Amino acid sequence: MSSFLDDLKRCLEKASKTPTISQQLAQVPGKLSSLAANGQIGECEEIAQYLGTAVGQQREWQVPFRENGILSHAIRKADPSLTPNILCKQYLRVIGNCVADNDLNRETILGEFANLISCLKEAELSTHALVVMFNLCNDYEPAQIKAAQLRLDSVVAEYLAADRIPEEAVDYATDLLVWATEKLATEQLKDDISVGTFSNLLQVSLHFDEDHYPDYIAICSDYLRDPEFHQKVIVPEIIERLVDLSFGLDDRLDHKDIFHALDVSKGPEKVDSENSNIVTMVQLINGLSAISSTDAFINTFGLHSPVIKKIISRISQPTSMITPSAVSSWIVLGNLSTSDQASIEMVSLHLHETILQVFATARHSSLLYAAAGTMRHLAFPEQNRQILGETRLIESCCELLMQQDPSLRGEIAALIGKLLLNNDHNIRKVVFEHLPKRLAPTQQTDEIDQPPKVLDHIISQALAPSAPLPSTAMKNPMIELGRSIIVMLRYALQSNVPDLLLHIFQRPLVARPIVRLVRQSFYPDARSDGLFGLGLMAQWQEGAKLLIEEIKADEGLLKSIKEFVTERKKEGTEVGVPLGRDHQNMIVLLHGLIKNGADVMDSSMQSDVEALQTELSKLLV
């Protein structure tokens, strides 16, 4: 054998591609096979070692090695199940040096890519195998696609999680992981293998390796963009790792920049930061929030689940109460509080008091919005409303209504409406209590004796200009505050509470937010609610007088109402629906105006009202 190796060395040292050299190289695969069959592994190792060194030192041998079958032989034999590790290692050296920056050589061995992956199972081969695969995939898309097909990403993630990747090879492993993930097909991203990969990467990310964890969590956050994937990762172990990761990132990234990116006015898919860590953190927060909104999550986790207990403990700590991860924490709890039982239990755990602290200390609209959404859910059960109203919650809501963010203002307005629903205690606070002195009255309260009541503030905020909402799914502050006033009117009228009605009707602008509901056309249901509210007001003289003042100030109001009711009537007729709620409420409104407002209407207005009443009566079926 030494004679063959010596001849090979002399051949390669000439560094000249002559026919004689090609003939010599062509003998190498057969010689290696023969020696291996005879158990002469040491001799094979020497030959392969020299071949690997030669092509590593002089890349001009890359082509002859391919043309003479040496590369193909090496990749076929680089299989730990067929070849001893000591020889496999040398074959890997041959392969790695042959494919470096050589696409033809790379193409030659793609069919045997799986052999390289199998070498990762052997600790003494893993570094060499990763280097070879790195050389194969670097700037070569076909190899990256093949790696994705063979799920190299899953194998690497599993080995990283098991701490089976040598430290010196982690850079190569990470690059391969990223490349393979980028080439995964859509269906692969949703399969069970990806779930395992995701779980392993979460575990690895928790180590916060400064050089590599940004790549790991970036991959995790990309997985979280797919709603179908959310359903697959609702496993306690995975969710806990995801929560732990978001908590850990809180301590490593700039809160101000993350909150800026989380600003609800931008929307979850419009993160404009150039910092990849910030973008990733936002995606993790949005991903966890989206996962918690699924039925599967709500059915899997409860307030006493370990991970939910961890979340509650975290947001109850002053230092963690206003961190970016608290945004997703409150959304998770808000989604769990969609049942009355859960909401009641959360109040018994004093979570509403924690939210009040957030209201008092946070300055970021994304966090305030998330906490307000949870508080609104806590107000759904009737037995919670008075408990919440006995805190400083209504006062806090008054302050938050003065924020600029329209999404936050809308959520707070919806919270107020829920607090007032069928609750005498909270309605009386709004109607009778003075607005805190630190809250400056707005221009719409100029006609009110000072100091203004809380109701005056609600009226003024309902009439205040508001920026556009980023999503139609969000609450509109003008709509929700107008509805809140209707909630109070309906309670006072149905419960026959004259003192409440008297004080409500003493606010000269109280009808205007309800009129605004009717005059807007974007939300048909809110328009119907507004018509109902006007009908309620018209049943009392004081209310009818306020409505007539609004009709005088807005000459097109009656015409607008008529057009809306007529159109709704037409829609109902087309689908076989009898006289609708809007038509009935319009009849009630006109009847109330004639009965209770005749003494303050001039003859022209009274004639218009009566004519409209007659016209609408003809539509009765």
Side-chain angles (χ1 to χ4, degrees):
M1 196 289 296
S2 59
S3 175
F4 180 84
L5 180 58
D6 290 340
D7 291 344
L8 180 62
K9 287 181 179 180
R10 285 192 292 270
C11 168
L12 294 176
E13 285 169 358
K14 293 178 182 179
S16 176
K17 303 172 186 176
T18 64
T20 303
I21 291 177
S22 293
Q23 292 173 6
Q24 182 77 14
L25 293 178
Q27 298 177 33
V28 171
K31 186 65 174 179
L32 289 170
S33 296
S34 175
L35 290 171
N38 292 328
Q40 296 175 274
I41 302 303
E43 290 81 353
C44 289
E45 181 188 6
E46 283 189 70
I47 295 173
Q49 183 178 21
Y50 187 77
L51 290 169
T53 300
V55 74
Q57 292 175 344
Q58 299 185 58
R59 289 192 178 182
E60 66 182 58
W61 292 117
Q62 287 181 332
V63 174
F65 278 21
R66 181 189 76 243
E67 292 176 342
N68 291 283
I70 295 173
L71 175 60
S72 295
H73 178 85
I75 188 64
R76 287 196 305 272
K77 296 300 181 180
D79 182 345
S81 66
L82 302 175
T83 305
N85 287 349
I86 57 172
L87 182 53
C88 264
K89 183 182 295 187
Q90 299 308 321
Y91 281 145
L92 289 172
R93 291 183 63 244
V94 173
I95 298 165
N97 289 330
C98 277
V99 300
D101 301 319
N102 189 314
D103 289 354
L104 284 176
N105 283 8
R106 288 165 168 169
E107 183 180 1
T108 300
I109 70 167
L110 275 186
E112 307 292 338
F113 198 132
N115 285 355
L116 300 176
I117 297 177
S118 69
C119 290
L120 293 177
K121 294 182 294 186
E122 304 295 327
E124 58 185 301
L125 299 179
S126 58
T127 296
H128 286 77
L130 288 167
V131 173
V132 172
M133 288 187 282
F134 176 87
N135 286 351
L136 179 60
C137 293
N138 189 30
D139 290 329
Y140 187 58
E141 188 175 24
Q144 295 174 6
I145 293 172
K146 188 68 175 181
Q149 293 171 347
L150 296 171
R151 294 313 300 258
L152 177 61
D153 60 308
S154 176
V155 176
V156 170
E158 179 183 350
Y159 281 40
L160 284 168
D163 199 23
R164 292 177 59 185
I165 301 291
E167 184 177 351
E168 66 271 14
V170 173
D171 285 347
Y172 300 111
T174 302
D175 285 338
L176 288 166
L177 177 65
V178 171
W179 293 335
T181 303
E182 288 175 347
K183 301 302 180 183
L184 291 176
T186 301
E187 292 307 312
Q188 287 179 297
L189 286 167
K190 304 174 185 179
D191 62 21
D192 292 339
I193 295 176
S194 287
V195 174
T197 304
F198 178 77
S199 179
N200 284 325
L201 287 179
L202 285 177
Q203 179 179 334
V204 175
S205 300
L206 288 171
H207 298 160
F208 294 108
D209 172 2
E210 293 291 347
D211 293 329
H212 305 107
Y213 89 86
D215 291 312
Y216 304 149
I217 61 175
I219 294 173
C220 291
S221 64
D222 282 341
Y223 275 117
L224 291 173
R225 292 185 179 191
D226 189 336
E228 291 184 32
F229 189 74
H230 295 168
Q231 303 286 341
K232 291 180 171 289
V233 296
I234 300 175
V235 177
E237 181 183 58
I238 294 178
I239 297 300
E240 185 162 9
R241 287 177 181 175
L242 187 58
V243 168
D244 287 342
L245 181 59
S246 66
F247 287 167
L249 286 172
D250 264 346
D251 303 326
R252 310 177 70 82
L253 302 179
D254 188 299
H255 290 179
K256 181 180 178 181
D257 289 342
I258 297 172
F259 273 123
H260 176 73
L262 279 169
D263 188 340
V264 292
S265 68
K266 291 179 170 50
E269 301 302 325
K270 300 178 181 178
V271 183
D272 59 6
S273 175
E274 296 181 358
N275 186 318
S276 60
N277 287 334
I278 291 173
V279 173
T280 297
M281 181 64 172
V282 172
Q283 290 173 343
L284 286 176
I285 290 172
N286 288 335
L288 180 57
S289 301
I291 288 172
S292 71
S293 69
T294 63
D295 290 340
F297 185 93
I298 295 170
N299 293 333
T300 302
F301 297 96
L303 291 178
H304 300 290
S305 300
V307 68
I308 303 303
K309 286 183 175 180
K310 179 180 291 188
I311 288 173
I312 292 174
S313 174
R314 169 86 178 186
I315 59 175
S316 298
Q317 300 169 13
T319 55
S320 302
M321 195 176 291
I322 53 175
T323 59
S325 68
V327 174
S328 55
S329 294
W330 284 119
I331 292 175
V332 168
L333 292 174
N335 288 328
L336 288 178
S337 65
T338 50
S339 73
D340 282 3
Q341 179 181 354
S343 294
I344 291 168
E345 187 169 0
M346 285 187 184
V347 170
S348 71
L349 293 172
H350 304 288
L351 281 177
H352 61 294
E353 295 178 3
T354 304
I355 296 177
L356 283 170
Q357 293 179 56
V358 173
F359 285 172
T361 56
R363 295 295 178 266
H364 306 287
S365 60
S366 53
L367 177 54
L368 290 167
Y369 179 80
T374 302
M375 186 70 94
R376 181 168 62 85
H377 286 171
L378 298 186
F380 268 71
E382 287 192 32
Q383 71 184 76
N384 278 354
R385 291 174 198 157
Q386 183 160 338
I387 297 173
L388 298 176
E390 289 173 347
T391 68
R392 63 183 186 281
L393 177 55
I394 292 177
E395 179 180 319
S396 295
C397 288
C398 288
E399 293 187 74
L400 292 174
L401 281 177
M402 300 176 71
Q403 294 278 331
Q404 295 297 313
D405 188 278
S407 308
L408 174 59
R409 292 182 68 240
E411 195 66 31
I412 292 297
L415 168 58
I416 291 173
K418 190 60 65 175
L419 288 170
L420 298 179
L421 186 61
N422 295 324
N423 191 277
D424 185 83
H425 174 271
N426 292 343
I427 291 174
R428 288 183 177 276
K429 284 179 72 72
V430 168
V431 173
F432 293 106
E433 289 191 3
H434 290 128
L435 190 68
K437 292 182 179 180
R438 68 180 179 280
L439 298 180
T442 54
Q443 292 181 357
Q444 288 86 355
T445 62
D446 288 347
E447 301 178 47
I448 306 299
D449 293 337
Q450 300 298 326
K453 301 291 196 298
V454 172
L455 177 55
D456 295 318
H457 184 65
I458 289 176
I459 294 169
S460 69
Q461 288 298 312
L463 300 175
S466 183
L469 290 163
S471 168
T472 56
M474 292 178 173
K475 307 295 184 181
N476 183 296
M478 182 269 284
I479 299 294
E480 298 302 331
L481 290 174
R483 283 172 163 161
S484 296
I485 296 171
I486 296 171
V487 164
M488 290 187 286
L489 283 172
R490 182 171 56 187
Y491 174 81
L493 291 167
Q494 291 179 346
S495 302
N496 192 23
V497 189
D499 63 327
L500 273 178
L501 277 176
L502 177 63
H503 280 78
I504 291 174
F505 291 144
Q506 281 178 351
R507 323 330 286 176
L509 295 175
V510 71
R512 190 161 298 173
I514 305 176
V515 170
R516 292 273 180 95
L517 294 185
V518 177
R519 288 295 260 156
Q520 62 82 37
S521 58
F522 191 79
Y523 302 93
D525 290 345
R527 205 171 183 186
S528 296
D529 292 341
L531 187 56
F532 171 70
L534 296 182
L536 289 178
M537 290 192 69
Q539 303 313 301
W540 263 255
Q541 287 186 349
E542 295 83 355
K545 290 177 181 179
L546 292 174
L547 288 183
I548 290 168
E549 291 301 317
E550 294 297 327
I551 294 172
K552 289 178 181 179
D554 183 356
E555 295 180 356
L557 178 57
L558 285 178
K559 182 180 178 181
S560 175
I561 294 174
K562 174 188 172 183
E563 291 174 351
F564 172 60
V565 172
T566 303
E567 183 62 29
R568 296 283 273 187
K569 172 63 180 175
K570 180 181 177 182
E571 292 171 2
T573 303
E574 289 175 351
V575 295
V577 177
L579 181 64
R581 181 174 75 122
D582 298 321
H583 196 173
Q584 293 173 337
N585 287 336
M586 184 62 176
I587 296 295
V588 171
L589 168 61
L590 297 175
H591 176 77
L593 289 175
I594 294 171
K595 177 183 177 182
N596 297 309
D599 58 333
V600 292
M601 282 193 289
D602 58 32
S603 58
S604 175
M605 182 185 294
Q606 186 166 356
S607 176
D608 290 343
V609 171
E610 290 174 347
L612 183 54
Q613 184 184 39
T614 300
E615 183 177 351
L616 291 176
S617 297
K618 294 177 183 179
L619 296 176
L620 289 170
V621 293

